[in-house]
Amino acid sequence: MSASTAVEAPLEQTDTRRWIALAVIVLAQFMVVLDVAIVNVALPSIKTDLNFSEQNLQWVITAYSILFGGVLLLGGRLADILGRRKLFIAGIALFTVSSLLDGLAWSEGSLIAFRALQGLGAALVSPAALSILTTTFAEGRERNRALGIWGAVSGSGAAAGVLLGGALTSAFSWSWIFFVNVPVGLLVLVLSPLLLRESRADLADRHFDVSGAAAITGGLMLLVYSLTRATTHGWGSGSTIVLLAASAALIVGFLVIELRSRAPLLPLGIFRLRTLSGSNVTGLLLAAALFSQFFLLTLYMQQVLHYSALKTGVAYVGITLTIIIVSAVAQALVTRIGVRPLLPIGMALAAVALVLYARLPVHGHYFT
């Protein structure tokens, strides 16, 4: 999504139609965020059925996340140039088809490939959906309210994913954590042409910067792959060093491409803004802690404490409810006292929780 989006006039729609349109794009965003976490509880079942190795199991999550994050900026640019509704629909179609393929996966490699394809679909959906929101609601109270709903749904999607994943895996099988997306995706596909208006950004330069997106995505994938290999081949092995060097070269190459591009995906000058840089670092650390805890705690509960998939999902209810309730309270507090006093408190609480997680015993219990 380009910077010009914020100044575009919202499209004229009836009040009811606009809020129904919001429900459609929020549903799509919930599905996208949900799929980052819903897989966690099903990992032990997936590992057994598809004969995953311990090292490769993380790629079920990582393949989705890297393609999602790596192509996200390019997805925003494509939406601005080609049309936001058009890209939103294309992304939902790709996401829905790949979800079906995920559930039908027959091997380790096929599931990882289909998850990567699903992440690509998510990277097209998310920026297009947010752009549609900002062009549908006028700046001010209504847009703030719509963005608050968007943020609450996005924040609760990951927490709800582990609960839903446990229920579906126990009731049916791990395939259903992917099949559940199909009817939702089809519903969004049917409603989108009826409720969403097409819009484009008025850009002076229509450059896509595909090379930048390819460099950062490839660099991140090589980085994760090299870190995974290092646990078995050693940090000092030639292959590990070569892979880490190649990853660093691609990431540096991305920075060089962005500095030289006439229309960069990521204008590096924006990081001179301390507030923006600080909030992005905070978001990175928080997301890393949140999603890694889902991965590790699920394996701990199912492989060490021998919880069933359903019991593991229910065990996450505390986190789910806390995120939903506190996010609503935090939204009100931010309006009154600002962001700066709240961020350190939230990060400090997260740090204390991570320290406590690190002390989990082999023979632990839910409340101890």
Side-chain angles (χ1 to χ4, degrees):
M1 183 179 65
S2 73
S4 64
T5 300
V7 298
E8 291 179 8
L11 299 170
E12 292 299 327
Q13 290 179 294
T14 63
D15 191 63
T16 302
R17 183 191 177 96
R18 286 187 297 119
W19 290 105
I20 296 175
L22 176 66
V24 171
I25 59 177
V26 163
L27 179 60
Q29 177 66 7
F30 181 79
M31 186 169 60
V32 164
V33 176
L34 185 82
D35 263 68
V36 180
I38 195 172
V39 178
N40 284 279
V41 177
L43 285 176
S45 299
I46 292 172
K47 178 184 176 184
T48 301
D49 287 357
L50 299 183
N51 298 313
F52 264 85
S53 66
E54 197 72 51
Q55 291 76 24
N56 288 341
L57 189 60
Q58 65 164 316
W59 280 99
V60 179
I61 298 171
T62 304
Y64 179 92
S65 301
I66 287 181
L67 265 293
F68 184 15
V71 186
L72 196 63
L73 293 172
L74 179 60
R77 177 65 56 80
L78 290 171
D80 285 343
I81 295 174
L82 301 178
R84 289 146 184 163
R85 186 181 71 173
K86 182 185 297 182
L87 206 74
F88 178 80
I89 292 173
I92 287 293
L94 181 58
F95 189 92
T96 304
V97 170
S98 55
S99 294
L100 178 62
L101 293 174
D102 284 335
L104 298 174
W106 58 89
S107 66
E108 182 179 291
S110 64
L111 181 57
I112 292 173
F114 295 146
R115 281 286 285 171
L117 192 64
Q118 191 181 28
L120 179 60
L124 301 180
V125 169
S126 196
L130 186 56
S131 293
I132 292 170
L133 184 153
T134 57
T135 54
T136 300
F137 293 91
E139 186 174 357
R141 182 174 177 274
E142 279 200 340
R143 184 182 291 178
N144 291 341
R145 184 181 174 191
L147 288 171
I149 294 171
W150 170 277
V153 169
S154 297
S156 60
V162 287
L163 177 59
L164 183 59
L168 290 172
T169 303
S170 292
F172 305 104
S173 71
W174 63 265
S175 297
W176 282 91
I177 64 173
F178 302 115
F179 289 153
V180 71
N181 291 328
V182 176
V184 178
L186 291 174
L187 177 63
V188 174
L189 282 173
V190 170
L191 293 178
S192 294
L194 303 176
L195 295 170
L196 306 181
R197 297 283 185 86
E198 186 59 279
S199 65
R200 293 176 176 83
D202 185 16
L203 298 176
D205 198 315
R206 296 172 63 84
H207 178 60
F208 289 117
D209 195 9
V210 176
S211 58
I216 189 61
T217 304
L220 291 175
M221 291 189 75
L222 266 183
L223 177 61
V224 174
Y225 180 61
S226 58
L227 293 176
T228 303
R229 279 178 58 90
T231 60
T232 54
H233 291 74
W235 290 96
S237 70
S239 60
T240 301
I241 293 172
V242 169
L243 287 169
L244 286 172
S247 170
L250 283 169
I251 293 172
V252 171
F254 167 73
L255 298 177
V256 173
I257 290 169
E258 297 308 287
L259 285 171
R260 295 182 174 181
S261 176
R262 65 179 186 271
L265 286 178
L266 182 63
L268 299 179
I270 64 175
F271 291 107
R272 296 192 187 99
L273 301 172
R274 293 177 59 189
T275 301
L276 184 142
S277 298
S279 61
N280 273 277
V281 170
T282 301
L284 174 65
L285 295 174
L286 193 60
L290 180 66
F291 289 108
S292 61
Q293 82 172 7
F294 287 147
F295 179 79
L296 295 172
L297 281 178
T298 296
L299 296 180
Y300 170 74
M301 285 189 279
Q302 293 197 35
Q303 296 186 357
V304 178
L305 302 184
H306 305 293
Y307 283 12
S308 66
L310 180 59
K311 188 174 181 179
T312 302
V314 173
Y316 282 113
V317 167
I319 296 176
T320 305
L321 293 178
T322 300
I323 290 175
I324 293 172
I325 294 170
V326 174
S327 64
V329 174
Q331 185 181 346
L333 289 175
V334 165
T335 303
R336 291 187 177 185
I337 64 176
V339 174
R340 186 169 292 182
L342 294 178
L343 270 182
I345 296 174
M347 295 301 286
L349 290 174
V352 170
L354 291 174
V355 170
L356 294 175
Y357 281 146
R359 298 173 58 84
L360 286 172
V362 174
H363 303 291
H365 300 282
Y366 186 74
F367 290 104
T368 55

mmCIF file of all heavy atoms in Angstrom, residues 154-177:
data_model
loop_
_atom_site.group_PDB
_atom_site.id
_atom_site.type_symbol
_atom_site.label_atom_id
_atom_site.label_comp_id
_atom_site.label_asym_id
_atom_site.label_seq_id
_atom_site.Cartn_x
_atom_site.Cartn_y
_atom_site.Cartn_z
ATOM 1 N N SER A 154 -7.188 -8.978 13.972
ATOM 2 C CA SER A 154 -5.851 -9.454 13.635
ATOM 3 C C SER A 154 -5.132 -9.986 14.870
ATOM 4 O O SER A 154 -4.464 -11.020 14.821
ATOM 5 C CB SER A 154 -5.024 -8.331 13.001
ATOM 6 O OG SER A 154 -5.609 -7.909 11.788
ATOM 7 N N GLY A 155 -5.275 -9.278 15.989
ATOM 8 C CA GLY A 155 -4.608 -9.696 17.211
ATOM 9 C C GLY A 155 -5.162 -10.981 17.792
ATOM 10 O O GLY A 155 -4.419 -11.799 18.345
ATOM 11 N N SER A 156 -6.468 -11.177 17.657
ATOM 12 C CA SER A 156 -7.086 -12.371 18.235
ATOM 13 C C SER A 156 -7.018 -13.570 17.302
ATOM 14 O O SER A 156 -7.222 -14.711 17.738
ATOM 15 C CB SER A 156 -8.548 -12.089 18.594
ATOM 16 O OG SER A 156 -9.282 -11.720 17.443
ATOM 17 N N GLY A 157 -6.718 -13.343 16.007
ATOM 18 C CA GLY A 157 -6.693 -14.444 15.047
ATOM 19 C C GLY A 157 -5.670 -15.506 15.393
ATOM 20 O O GLY A 157 -5.950 -16.707 15.327
ATOM 21 N N ALA A 158 -4.459 -15.065 15.775
ATOM 22 C CA ALA A 158 -3.401 -16.018 16.113
ATOM 23 C C ALA A 158 -3.760 -16.812 17.361
ATOM 24 O O ALA A 158 -3.546 -18.034 17.428
ATOM 25 C CB ALA A 158 -2.087 -15.273 16.314
ATOM 26 N N ALA A 159 -4.305 -16.112 18.367
ATOM 27 C CA ALA A 159 -4.665 -16.796 19.607
ATOM 28 C C ALA A 159 -5.819 -17.773 19.397
ATOM 29 O O ALA A 159 -5.832 -18.877 19.953
ATOM 30 C CB ALA A 159 -5.044 -15.765 20.677
ATOM 31 N N ALA A 160 -6.786 -17.367 18.572
ATOM 32 C CA ALA A 160 -7.920 -18.252 18.300
ATOM 33 C C ALA A 160 -7.501 -19.458 17.463
ATOM 34 O O ALA A 160 -8.115 -20.531 17.548
ATOM 35 C CB ALA A 160 -9.018 -17.472 17.579
ATOM 36 N N GLY A 161 -6.434 -19.291 16.668
ATOM 37 C CA GLY A 161 -5.993 -20.359 15.789
ATOM 38 C C GLY A 161 -5.602 -21.626 16.526
ATOM 39 O O GLY A 161 -5.944 -22.735 16.100
ATOM 40 N N VAL A 162 -4.887 -21.475 17.635
ATOM 41 C CA VAL A 162 -4.439 -22.665 18.362
ATOM 42 C C VAL A 162 -5.619 -23.410 18.987
ATOM 43 O O VAL A 162 -5.629 -24.639 19.068
ATOM 44 C CB VAL A 162 -3.392 -22.294 19.434
ATOM 45 C CG1 VAL A 162 -2.061 -21.957 18.793
ATOM 46 C CG2 VAL A 162 -3.863 -21.136 20.298
ATOM 47 N N LEU A 163 -6.633 -22.664 19.446
ATOM 48 C CA LEU A 163 -7.826 -23.301 20.009
ATOM 49 C C LEU A 163 -8.614 -24.036 18.934
ATOM 50 O O LEU A 163 -8.992 -25.207 19.102
ATOM 51 C CB LEU A 163 -8.701 -22.238 20.682
ATOM 52 C CG LEU A 163 -10.041 -22.720 21.280
ATOM 53 C CD1 LEU A 163 -9.808 -23.797 22.332
ATOM 54 C CD2 LEU A 163 -10.807 -21.548 21.877
ATOM 55 N N LEU A 164 -8.844 -23.370 17.800
ATOM 56 C CA LEU A 164 -9.581 -23.995 16.705
ATOM 57 C C LEU A 164 -8.803 -25.169 16.129
ATOM 58 O O LEU A 164 -9.385 -26.203 15.774
ATOM 59 C CB LEU A 164 -9.846 -22.954 15.619
ATOM 60 C CG LEU A 164 -10.671 -23.406 14.406
ATOM 61 C CD1 LEU A 164 -12.051 -23.907 14.834
ATOM 62 C CD2 LEU A 164 -10.807 -22.272 13.388
ATOM 63 N N GLY A 165 -7.482 -25.030 16.036
ATOM 64 C CA GLY A 165 -6.655 -26.119 15.524
ATOM 65 C C GLY A 165 -6.767 -27.368 16.369
ATOM 66 O O GLY A 165 -6.847 -28.483 15.845
ATOM 67 N N GLY A 166 -6.788 -27.202 17.680
ATOM 68 C CA GLY A 166 -6.923 -28.351 18.569
ATOM 69 C C GLY A 166 -8.271 -29.036 18.425
ATOM 70 O O GLY A 166 -8.360 -30.266 18.384
ATOM 71 N N ALA A 167 -9.339 -28.234 18.321
ATOM 72 C CA ALA A 167 -10.684 -28.795 18.184
ATOM 73 C C ALA A 167 -10.838 -29.571 16.878
ATOM 74 O O ALA A 167 -11.362 -30.691 16.855
ATOM 75 C CB ALA A 167 -11.715 -27.677 18.268
ATOM 76 N N LEU A 168 -10.372 -28.991 15.770
ATOM 77 C CA LEU A 168 -10.519 -29.638 14.460
ATOM 78 C C LEU A 168 -9.665 -30.892 14.352
ATOM 79 O O LEU A 168 -10.098 -31.917 13.795
ATOM 80 C CB LEU A 168 -10.148 -28.653 13.347
ATOM 81 C CG LEU A 168 -11.117 -27.503 13.117
ATOM 82 C CD1 LEU A 168 -10.541 -26.497 12.126
ATOM 83 C CD2 LEU A 168 -12.463 -28.012 12.610
ATOM 84 N N THR A 169 -8.444 -30.835 14.878
ATOM 85 C CA THR A 169 -7.561 -32.005 14.807
ATOM 86 C C THR A 169 -8.112 -33.160 15.623
ATOM 87 O O THR A 169 -8.046 -34.321 15.195
ATOM 88 C CB THR A 169 -6.147 -31.632 15.309
ATOM 89 O OG1 THR A 169 -5.643 -30.545 14.533
ATOM 90 C CG2 THR A 169 -5.196 -32.808 15.175
ATOM 91 N N SER A 170 -8.664 -32.861 16.792
ATOM 92 C CA SER A 170 -9.222 -33.918 17.638
ATOM 93 C C SER A 170 -10.518 -34.479 17.066
ATOM 94 O O SER A 170 -10.747 -35.688 17.094
ATOM 95 C CB SER A 170 -9.475 -33.386 19.052
ATOM 96 O OG SER A 170 -8.262 -33.100 19.701
ATOM 97 N N ALA A 171 -11.380 -33.598 16.548
ATOM 98 C CA ALA A 171 -12.686 -34.039 16.053
ATOM 99 C C ALA A 171 -12.577 -34.752 14.711
ATOM 100 O O ALA A 171 -13.306 -35.717 14.456
ATOM 101 C CB ALA A 171 -13.631 -32.854 15.944
ATOM 102 N N PHE A 172 -11.679 -34.304 13.843
ATOM 103 C CA PHE A 172 -11.581 -34.871 12.498
ATOM 104 C C PHE A 172 -10.153 -35.360 12.242
ATOM 105 O O PHE A 172 -9.809 -36.477 12.576
ATOM 106 C CB PHE A 172 -12.021 -33.832 11.458
ATOM 107 C CG PHE A 172 -13.387 -33.277 11.703
ATOM 108 C CD1 PHE A 172 -13.556 -32.008 12.240
ATOM 109 C CD2 PHE A 172 -14.520 -34.027 11.414
ATOM 110 C CE1 PHE A 172 -14.833 -31.499 12.484
ATOM 111 C CE2 PHE A 172 -15.793 -33.530 11.647
ATOM 112 C CZ PHE A 172 -15.944 -32.262 12.192
ATOM 113 N N SER A 173 -9.322 -34.503 11.662
ATOM 114 C CA SER A 173 -7.907 -34.811 11.460
ATOM 115 C C SER A 173 -7.195 -33.503 11.161
ATOM 116 O O SER A 173 -7.836 -32.452 11.007
ATOM 117 C CB SER A 173 -7.715 -35.784 10.290
ATOM 118 O OG SER A 173 -7.981 -35.141 9.049
ATOM 119 N N TRP A 174 -5.869 -33.541 11.059
ATOM 120 C CA TRP A 174 -5.124 -32.308 10.823
ATOM 121 C C TRP A 174 -5.495 -31.653 9.489
ATOM 122 O O TRP A 174 -5.372 -30.432 9.342
ATOM 123 C CB TRP A 174 -3.618 -32.571 10.883
ATOM 124 C CG TRP A 174 -3.086 -33.512 9.833
ATOM 125 C CD1 TRP A 174 -2.875 -34.858 9.966
ATOM 126 C CD2 TRP A 174 -2.712 -33.183 8.488
ATOM 127 N NE1 TRP A 174 -2.387 -35.392 8.796
ATOM 128 C CE2 TRP A 174 -2.268 -34.377 7.870
ATOM 129 C CE3 TRP A 174 -2.691 -32.007 7.744
ATOM 130 C CZ2 TRP A 174 -1.829 -34.425 6.544
ATOM 131 C CZ3 TRP A 174 -2.251 -32.041 6.424
ATOM 132 C CH2 TRP A 174 -1.824 -33.240 5.844
ATOM 133 N N SER A 175 -5.950 -32.433 8.516
ATOM 134 C CA SER A 175 -6.310 -31.867 7.215
ATOM 135 C C SER A 175 -7.395 -30.803 7.330
ATOM 136 O O SER A 175 -7.451 -29.859 6.525
ATOM 137 C CB SER A 175 -6.781 -32.971 6.271
ATOM 138 O OG SER A 175 -5.752 -33.900 6.012
ATOM 139 N N TRP A 176 -8.257 -30.933 8.345
ATOM 140 C CA TRP A 176 -9.397 -30.024 8.460
ATOM 141 C C TRP A 176 -9.017 -28.632 8.937
ATOM 142 O O TRP A 176 -9.815 -27.702 8.804
ATOM 143 C CB TRP A 176 -10.466 -30.642 9.357
ATOM 144 C CG TRP A 176 -11.234 -31.679 8.602
ATOM 145 C CD1 TRP A 176 -10.957 -33.008 8.515
ATOM 146 C CD2 TRP A 176 -12.362 -31.442 7.765
ATOM 147 N NE1 TRP A 176 -11.852 -33.632 7.684
ATOM 148 C CE2 TRP A 176 -12.734 -32.695 7.209
ATOM 149 C CE3 TRP A 176 -13.115 -30.317 7.423
ATOM 150 C CZ2 TRP A 176 -13.807 -32.833 6.334
ATOM 151 C CZ3 TRP A 176 -14.184 -30.453 6.555
ATOM 152 C CH2 TRP A 176 -14.520 -31.702 6.031
ATOM 153 N N ILE A 177 -7.806 -28.464 9.476
ATOM 154 C CA ILE A 177 -7.380 -27.103 9.824
ATOM 155 C C ILE A 177 -7.171 -26.285 8.545
ATOM 156 O O ILE A 177 -7.187 -25.049 8.579
ATOM 157 C CB ILE A 177 -6.095 -27.100 10.676
ATOM 158 C CG1 ILE A 177 -4.909 -27.666 9.883
ATOM 159 C CG2 ILE A 177 -6.310 -27.855 11.975
ATOM 160 C CD1 ILE A 177 -3.586 -27.545 10.602
#
